[in-house]
Amino acid sequence: MPQTGLNMGRLGNALKRGFAVRRVRSAACANCDGVMPQYAVDVMGLRFQNPVGLAAGFDRDGRLVNHLESCGFGFVEIGTVSASRRPGGGSLVAAVKNLASVRSAGRDLRVGVNIGSSRDGFGTEALGEHIAAMRALWPFTDYLAINLTSPRSPARRRLELAPCAGFLAALGAERDALTRSSGLRVPLAVKLLLDHASQPLVEVLKAAQIAGIIGVSDSVDVLRTASAAFDPIPIISVGGIRSAPDVAARLAAGAMLVQIFRAFVGGSPFLPRRIVAGLQAGTGLERAG
Ligand SMILES: Cc1cc2nc3c(=O)[nH]c(=O)nc-3n(C[C@H](O)[C@H](O)[C@H](O)COP(=O)(O)O)c2cc1C
C-alpha cells in the first residue's frame, strides 16, 4: 500500500511538528475536547474516555502518542512490536522507552500494545518472543493485544485451534505470573479476523481468560453475529470505519470500542474529533439507527 505508507509518513511528520494538532485544537472542534463523559466506557476493566481508538500499525514504536492524544482518540494501540524485530515492525526497545515517558507524563489516554513475532505459527520460539515482549512492556501498557492477523504469520492467521489453544494458555499463565509478581493487572486481548468466530474458538479464548477481541471485519453483519458468538468477551471493532454513523453502527451491533486506521491516515488528524463530536451530537446514532 504505497499511498497509505506515504500518507502515514506525511501525517506522522505533521503531528511531530505540531502543525496539524494546533489546527485540530483551534479550528476543527472548538466544542469538543475528546472527553465525552456520556461515552466513557469500561472495557477489559479499564475506563476509556471515548470509544474511538487508533488501530495498530500507524505508530509502531509509540513515538507519536502525545500528539495522537491531541487528535481526540480515546485510546491508541501501538505496534505491532516483537522481541526480535520483524521486517517493517516496531522496535520493542523503542516502544518501552517511549511508553515509559508517556506514563511519566500521567496521560488519561489509554495506550495498548500489539505484540507479534518474527516467527510464523505457535511454536516455542514465537511463544518466547511474545513472553519477552509481555515482560518488557508490562509496567508501561494498559493492555496487550496478541496479533493473530499478521499477513507475515499465515499459520497464526489461519488460527489452527489446537496449537492456538496451547499458545494462548501459555500466554495466559505468563499474564497471571506477571500480575502476581508486579501487582499490576494488564488485560490480554487478541486481534483476529471476525470471520473465524466459532464455538470452539470461544472456548479457547475463555479458557485463556482473554479479556477482549480486536475483531477485524468491514461487515456490520459479521460483527453482529460474532458479538453474539463471543459474548461476554467484549469486541473492539476495526475495519472500514470512516465516520460517526459508522462508529454508531458498530456500537449498535455489539462492539464496545472501535479502532480506525486508513480513514485517519488518508483523511486528516481532525477525524477522531469529528467522529466524537458527531456521536456527542447524536447525529451518528440517528443516521445509524
Ligand atoms: C499500512 C498498514 C499497516 C498496518 N500495520 C499493522 C500492524 O503492524 N499490526 C496490526 O495489527 N495491524 C496492522 N494493520 C491493520 C490495521 O490495524 C487495521 O486492522 C486495518 O487497516 C483495518 O482497519 P481500517 O479499515 O480502518 O484501515 C495495518 C494496516 C495498514 C493499512
Side-chain angles (χ1 to χ4, degrees):
M1 285 164 223
Q3 189 58 44
T4 304
L6 194 62
N7 288 340
M8 283 167 65
R10 282 192 188 136
L11 184 53
N13 287 335
L15 290 173
K16 270 187 262 179
R17 285 199 307 271
F19 151 76
V21 171
R22 270 199 305 279
R23 285 176 57 208
V24 168
R25 281 197 176 127
S26 61
C29 215
N31 60 350
C32 167
D33 61 4
V35 179
M36 303 191 305
Q38 67 272 47
Y39 271 98
V41 54
D42 295 314
V43 183
M44 303 190 288
L46 301 166
R47 171 143 288 218
F48 293 76
Q49 290 182 50
N50 73 59
V52 182
L54 176 62
F58 178 73
D59 185 15
R60 290 210 169 106
D61 296 340
R63 285 162 216 256
L64 297 171
V65 168
N66 288 337
H67 307 292
L68 290 164
E69 181 173 27
S70 303
C71 293
F73 286 110
F75 66 111
V76 168
E77 188 168 304
I78 73 165
T80 301
V81 296
S82 63
S84 72
R85 196 169 176 171
R86 306 173 317 150
S91 151
L92 178 60
V93 173
V96 167
K97 184 168 157 272
N98 290 327
L99 289 186
S101 67
V102 172
R103 272 289 143 124
S104 55
R107 296 281 165 195
D108 286 335
L109 181 79
R110 292 286 173 212
V111 181
V113 186
N114 182 304
I115 58 173
S117 163
S118 57
R119 322 265 173 182
D120 191 16
F122 297 107
T124 38
E125 283 162 330
L127 183 63
E129 283 191 38
H130 281 73
I131 286 176
M134 285 175 73
R135 289 178 182 167
L137 289 161
W138 196 256
F140 306 112
T141 185
D142 289 312
Y143 71 87
L144 286 162
I146 301 153
N147 189 9
L148 301 176
T149 67
S150 173
R152 293 191 184 88
S153 303
R156 267 204 298 284
R157 216 177 144 93
R158 275 198 303 278
L159 266 186
E160 284 147 13
L161 278 181
C164 178
F167 188 79
L168 293 182
L171 296 181
E174 180 65 22
R175 170 204 55 213
D176 296 343
L178 286 167
T179 305
R180 276 194 302 275
S181 62
S182 68
L184 294 172
R185 184 190 158 276
V186 177
L188 274 192
V190 292
K191 182 170 181 179
L192 51 77
L193 307 179
L194 283 184
D195 293 322
H196 286 307
S198 70
Q199 196 50 41
L201 178 59
V202 173
E203 298 310 324
V204 165
L205 300 185
K206 282 186 181 162
Q209 293 179 20
I210 295 300
I213 295 164
I214 299 158
V216 184
S217 177
D218 283 3
S219 160
V220 176
D221 288 337
V222 169
L223 168 63
R224 194 175 292 108
T225 307
S227 61
F230 284 121
D231 183 61
I233 307 174
I235 296 186
I236 298 152
S237 175
V238 60
I241 297 172
R242 292 178 304 276
S243 64
D246 288 348
V247 173
R250 303 300 171 103
L251 300 179
M256 296 295 291
L257 300 167
V258 302
Q259 292 180 335
I260 58 175
F261 188 108
R262 282 168 301 178
F264 175 67
V265 171
S268 84
F270 298 76
L271 184 64
R273 282 173 183 258
R274 281 194 188 133
I275 290 177
V276 168
L279 290 171
Q280 227 166 9
T283 49
L285 290 170
E286 281 156 28
R287 287 168 64 184

